[in-house]
Amino acid sequence: MSDDAMDVIVVGAGPAGAAAALVLARAGLQVVLIERGSAAGVKNMTGGRLYTHALKTLCPENHQEAPLERRVTRELISMMSGSSTVTMEMASPEFADNSYTVLRTRLDAWLAAQAEAAGAMLATGVKVDELLIKDGKVVGVRCGEDEMPAHAVIVAEGANCLLPRQASLKVGELDPHHVATGVKATFELPANVIEERFHVAPGEGAAQLFVGEVTQGLAGGGFLYTNRDTISLGIVLTVAGMLEKKVEPAALMAAFEAHPAVAPLIAGGRMVEYSAHLVPEGGVAMMPEVVGDGILVAGDAAGFVLNLGYAVRGMDFAMASGMHAAETLIAAKAKNDFGKAELKNYLTRLKQSFVLRDLEFYKHAPHFIGSTPRMFGAYPKVATDMLRRLFTVDGTTPPKHAVTLAREALKGRASLWQVAKDGLRGGRAL
Ligand SMILES: Cc1cc2nc3c(=O)[nH]c(=O)nc-3n(C[C@H](O)[C@H](O)[C@H](O)COP(=O)(O)OP(=O)(O)OC[C@H]3O[C@@H](n4cnc5c(N)ncnc54)[C@H](O)[C@@H]3O)c2cc1C
């Protein structure tokens, strides 16, 4: 290795890469954080809610200074059918600082600035084209004509896990059942209008998830997050469902915006952003090999995302895996050993942390969600029909018992046996 080699090159300034660079720089290692976008965050998107526990671990002194939008104090889950909606709500100031809505251009820029302030070199507008490999070991990267040597590389390039294949790490082909497409629009509205519409105090916000009509019964759902002076609205649906039913995400998105439960919430809002992005949702089953000679893989590139329907988590996994990758390399640097055997400590760290613990714990969730279409089609229809019947007074005598009401609504959609089976499977998986 030449004398001008960096200790570590980190590819990608999303939450995984920036967290890794920050921890490495704090420990005094020479680190370059390379981002292909013109600034950190400009190429990135998320639904919009960060569970803050990992950020607090990463920045114990100054996490309050991070550009968080609103503290989520209202959680809503809505089942849609036709133009009807049934919503379950949990509102509580006791959520404290469990989660905040975020916008990636601001959050990623702040995280990258923290890494720079700690001593990392941030190179934006630079795309890593290739890994440099010598005798089977990763020894740097090539960006265009430039070769940059390093003792180790952390790949945090997001959902498209391309670079690790060059180092012969086992990376499965993207399975359309395990990958979803997300489409999101951001609408600008004055802060006081958002607070009135969502019944929240200044600084507080709402998170609303939708299932059913929003994806026309396909596996996936919709989301709405209130930011300071914008609303993030979007849909996520599996690539398999999209291909099978030949639906256009943009058309679904337009129908979602016009839905009677959604249109009044964004009324008068000016669309300031529209973007699309992949989400690796297969859980631990789609995890590629994340350790090699001189290379570690973190964040979405490693498939570290957990979608449970009621909670979508990727950014906390990204930050934590970036931190664990960095700590592994700090220990490796102390021994001057960046070989695969030493770097396997990364896996041990991940297993001891919530990253692999949670992914392993919920390992049946992606299969359950993907193989239970009734959750996205029949059940939202049953819920809206049942409650419409319950609340309708038209001179006919409604059935007295909930079971009779449910039976009526289930007719032709699902048997009580199927409901019980789905309930049991769901209980085990989620
Ligand atoms: C629609 C949608 C909704 C979501 N909702 C939530 C949510 O509410 N909460 C949550 O926690 N998570 C959510 N997620 C998941 C979350 O956004 C991701 O898990 C998280 O962004 C992963 O971070 P990362 O750093 O691994 O990757 P990314 O954020 O994708 O960052 C990768 C970075 O690498 C850069 N890059 C890629 N290739 C190269 C290269 N060759 N050279 C240089 N730079 C490169 C990219 O430009 C990018 O900046 C959602 C995702 C989507 C798409």
Side-chain angles (χ1 to χ4, degrees):
M1 183 77 54
S2 62
D3 281 350
D4 58 352
M6 299 298 290
D7 288 319
V8 183
I9 288 173
V10 182
V11 184
L22 172 54
V23 172
L24 288 162
R26 268 193 202 133
L29 272 69
Q30 285 184 308
V31 52
V32 191
L33 175 59
I34 303 181
E35 168 55 45
R36 67 182 170 169
S38 56
V42 295
K43 285 202 170 277
N44 298 341
M45 84 93 124
T46 195
R49 173 231 293 270
L50 173 71
Y51 292 98
T52 41
H53 62 117
L55 176 68
K56 286 182 204 159
T57 310
L58 177 65
C59 298
E61 310 284 322
N62 63 341
H63 60 89
Q64 306 90 332
E65 292 161 18
L68 306 177
E69 296 291 314
R70 287 177 182 268
R71 181 166 64 90
V72 177
T73 54
R74 276 187 81 211
E75 299 274 359
L76 301 104
I77 297 182
S78 297
M79 285 183 278
M80 289 174 147
S81 161
S83 54
S84 305
T85 309
V86 172
T87 298
M88 185 174 75
E89 172 174 352
M90 164 84 186
S92 173
E94 288 165 24
F95 277 129
D97 55 356
N98 171 56
S99 71
Y100 282 78
T101 56
V102 290
L103 291 169
R104 293 294 297 276
T105 40
R106 293 177 189 163
L107 178 69
D108 291 11
W110 186 84
L111 285 170
Q114 301 308 300
E116 264 193 301
M121 197 188 299
L122 173 66
T124 53
V126 180
K127 179 171 169 283
V128 171
D129 294 311
E130 213 173 55
L131 295 175
L132 299 179
I133 297 171
K134 195 173 167 201
D135 302 329
K137 181 182 181 313
V138 175
V139 292
V141 301
R142 186 180 63 73
C143 308
E145 303 286 292
D146 294 329
E147 293 199 344
M148 301 170 72
H151 296 295
V153 172
I154 295 177
V155 176
E157 62 182 337
N160 281 318
C161 183
L162 301 172
L163 292 170
R165 292 170 202 268
Q166 297 172 11
S168 304
L169 265 56
K170 287 189 204 90
V171 181
E173 291 306 318
L174 284 182
D175 176 345
H177 293 92
H178 284 169
V179 181
T181 299
V183 180
K184 170 175 140 177
T186 310
F187 297 91
E188 195 175 57
L189 277 168
N192 65 317
V193 172
I194 292 176
E195 283 143 21
E196 277 163 25
R197 277 187 197 171
F198 290 88
H199 314 292
V200 289
E204 295 181 0
Q208 188 162 3
L209 299 176
F210 300 83
V211 67
E213 187 71 23
V214 55
T215 56
Q216 291 180 0
L218 294 171
F223 59 82
L224 183 156
Y225 297 102
T226 57
N227 306 310
R228 261 170 227 268
D229 51 11
T230 56
I231 289 175
S232 298
L233 183 80
I235 53 167
V236 175
L237 73 163
T238 60
V239 172
M242 229 169 72
L243 296 176
E244 193 188 314
K245 294 273 165 70
K246 296 191 173 43
V247 291
E248 283 286 331
L252 283 186
M253 185 64 193
F256 185 39
E257 286 168 33
H259 192 278
V262 173
L265 300 176
I266 55 168
R270 187 171 67 94
M271 194 191 289
V272 288
E273 198 183 305
Y274 194 91
S275 54
H277 206 283
L278 288 181
V279 200
E281 292 190 333
V284 80
M286 74 177 289
M287 181 176 152
E289 207 178 346
V290 296
V291 181
D293 267 326
I295 179 172
L296 296 175
V297 186
D300 272 18
F304 296 152
V305 173
L306 187 59
N307 182 357
L308 295 174
Y310 56 88
V312 183
R313 293 171 57 192
M315 289 182 283
D316 57 335
F317 283 98
M319 281 182 204
S321 57
M323 284 187 266
H324 290 304
E327 279 153 12
T328 306
L329 293 181
I330 293 165
K333 161 88 177 167
K335 296 180 191 164
N336 197 23
D337 177 3
F338 295 92
K340 185 172 179 176
E342 172 64 25
L343 298 196
K344 276 197 168 161
N345 286 324
Y346 177 46
L347 272 176
T348 312
R349 286 173 193 271
L350 291 172
K351 281 179 191 157
Q352 285 166 352
S353 82
F354 73 86
V355 176
L356 281 185
R357 242 190 357 243
D358 289 7
L359 285 174
E360 186 61 34
F361 188 74
Y362 290 110
K363 66 180 173 207
H364 299 302
H367 177 70
F368 170 72
I369 290 173
S371 64
T372 317
R374 282 184 286 273
M375 270 181 33
F376 307 96
Y379 294 153
K381 285 186 183 139
V382 169
T384 49
D385 279 7
M386 250 181 91
L387 291 184
R388 195 183 306 104
R389 181 84 172 96
L390 190 74
F391 293 123
T392 300
V393 179
D394 59 2
T396 61
T397 309
K400 213 178 209 168
H401 300 294
V403 177
T404 318
L405 258 179
R407 240 195 213 118
E408 261 184 23
L410 281 166
K411 212 168 188 177
R413 292 177 176 144
S415 65
L416 280 177
W417 166 239
Q418 282 170 324
V419 176
K421 228 170 69 178
D422 289 345
L424 208 65
R425 286 177 63 232
R428 283 201 197 115
L430 304 174

